[in-house]
Structure formats: C-alpha cells, structure tokens
Amino acid sequence: MADPALHSETPAHHQTQPLKQIAIDYTPEACTHCPDANTITLTYDHRGGARWRTTTRFLYGTFSSLIQCPRGNTSGLNFNIYLSSLEGDKSQDEIDFEFLGKDRTIVQTNYYTGGTGNKEEFHDLGFDCSDEFHLYVIKWGQDLIEWLVDGKLVRRVERKKSEAFPHKPMYLYASIWDASYIEEGRWTGKYIGCDAPYVCLYKDIHVPVGSAVEG
C-alpha cells in the first residue's frame, strides 16, 4: 500500500512505501531490524561493521531514510546509504550518499555507471550528522538523479546524450565499515576507535511502489 500522504499526481515509480524486509550481507549480530517500527541499527565494534540491503532490486524511484550517524571520534569510518546493482560487481551501477568519519559536517555524493565512477562531490551539511536524525533522499529516474537533505536539493544530475547513466535495477544498501586504508587515510581519516561501539541509526525507511524487479 502506498503512503497515504502521497498526492495522486505523483508518478508511480516515485510513490513510496515503508521498507518491510531486509537481507543482512555480513555480521548479522551487528544489525538490528524492527519492521514494525521501521528502524535499522548498524554497529561497528571489535566484530567489524555490517551491511543491510533490500531483498529486491528496483528500477528507478525515490528512496529515503531518516539517519542519525554515529557519535564520538568516528575517524576512519564510512557510513552511508546507497543504491547498487550488486555490491562487489566491478561493472555495477551505483548512486551514493556517503558520510566520512573524519568530518561529520559534510556528505559525499557519487554515482557509477558500468563500474565507472569518479563523479564525487562534497556538500556542506551545515550540521553534524550525528547530532540528530536528518532526512536523506535519492530520486532516480531514467534521465535524472537528485540528492536531497532535509528537503533541500543538494545535487542534480541530468543525463547527457553522450554520457552513460545508471540504468540497471538496484538494491538499496547501507553499511558501516573501516575505510581508513583507502588513500592512506586521506578519505575518511585514520581509524582511532576510542569511542567504539559506533552506532548508525536508520528509521522511516521508504522504497518505491511498483518498480521492484524480481530475480
């Protein structure tokens, strides 16, 4: 059932519904899902991190979650919400929101087509993403991607005729992990870990209505 707050003129693939079911890719004991409350908790500690995803892929649509990022000294960690045709596939399509533990006042957006990315942009949030919940939205269409934070458009990419664009059905993913080995710590910082466990909270997670792709 679609969210009753939706207007009838909303295109079908941008209508949303609460997320009811997830798969946990690794460290299930570090991921807690409460379907009735529509909340998910990811924890990073001595066990490492964890990653969840939807059980189906979607071809276009609007994806959203309220997120409160981990507190304390999060240097070295990456926490996120993103779309990917398949994590680990070198030819993946992907659309990202990524938080970098060395500075929780910014967020990185990026997208990949056929495994090729290098389209990173950094955005000043104007707040510390661990202070409270904030709403993060990805709107993905055949010729347009938009990233929004608390209802404010932070990035908009229109498809160019000469440019490849994400077109593969994608899962919604989220994870927390130690990325301090990337670029010798220049990306997320060096991992310190003095405030572990680190907890990333997701709630009111919504996915598209009618654009799920089986298989």
Side-chain angles (χ1 to χ4, degrees):
M1 180 178 178
D3 189 327
L6 289 166
H7 298 294
S8 59
E9 65 268 19
T10 303
H13 65 273
H14 284 301
Q15 295 182 11
T16 65
Q17 60 188 343
L19 177 63
K20 293 297 185 183
Q21 188 176 3
I22 65 170
I24 303 171
D25 287 343
Y26 58 85
T27 326
E29 62 273 22
C31 180
T32 303
H33 178 217
C34 182
D36 290 342
N38 194 5
T39 61
I40 302 173
T41 299
L42 288 175
T43 300
Y44 187 92
D45 55 20
H46 64 279
R47 300 167 295 185
R51 182 175 70 218
W52 63 263
R53 62 173 173 84
T54 55
T55 55
T56 58
R57 294 181 176 95
F58 300 86
L59 184 60
Y60 308 126
T62 295
F63 305 79
S64 64
S65 179
L66 288 164
I67 304 173
Q68 184 173 14
C69 296
R71 294 173 173 167
N73 185 341
T74 52
S75 180
L77 296 180
N78 177 298
F79 17 98
N80 52 65
I81 190 163
Y82 64 102
L83 305 175
S84 178
S85 53
L86 184 61
E87 182 61 52
D89 180 3
K90 299 303 183 184
S91 63
Q92 89 280 13
D93 286 359
E94 187 172 315
I95 304 171
D96 304 333
F97 265 124
E98 296 187 272
F99 303 95
L100 311 179
K102 68 179 183 180
D103 186 352
R104 293 193 303 263
T105 66
I106 63 171
V107 67
Q108 176 184 295
T109 60
N110 196 8
Y111 68 98
Y112 291 74
T113 307
T116 301
N118 300 317
K119 298 177 175 66
E120 298 93 341
E121 289 189 9
F122 297 92
H123 313 277
D124 184 357
L125 290 169
F127 54 80
D128 182 328
C129 62
S130 72
D131 284 347
E132 58 185 342
F133 282 96
H134 293 273
L135 179 63
Y136 301 88
V137 178
I138 295 172
K139 292 187 175 183
W140 169 43
Q142 186 173 353
D143 301 304
L144 180 68
I145 305 170
E146 293 180 332
W147 293 258
L148 299 95
V149 178
D150 289 337
K152 178 183 177 182
L153 183 67
V154 296
R155 185 177 182 184
R156 187 176 196 267
V157 176
E158 294 186 48
R159 181 179 188 176
K160 298 181 177 69
K161 290 183 179 180
S162 59
E163 183 182 66
F165 209 67
H167 67 281
K168 297 177 182 178
M170 294 197 270
Y171 296 103
L172 177 66
Y173 283 93
S175 65
I176 182 170
W177 58 290
D178 179 0
S180 60
Y181 65 92
I182 296 176
E183 298 179 358
E184 299 180 337
R186 290 189 295 275
W187 188 42
T188 61
K190 290 290 188 180
Y191 181 66
I192 306 299
C194 58
D195 294 312
Y198 298 100
V199 179
C200 195
L201 305 173
Y202 301 80
K203 71 177 183 179
D204 199 21
I205 309 132
H206 278 67
V207 295
V209 173
S211 70
V213 177
E214 300 298 332

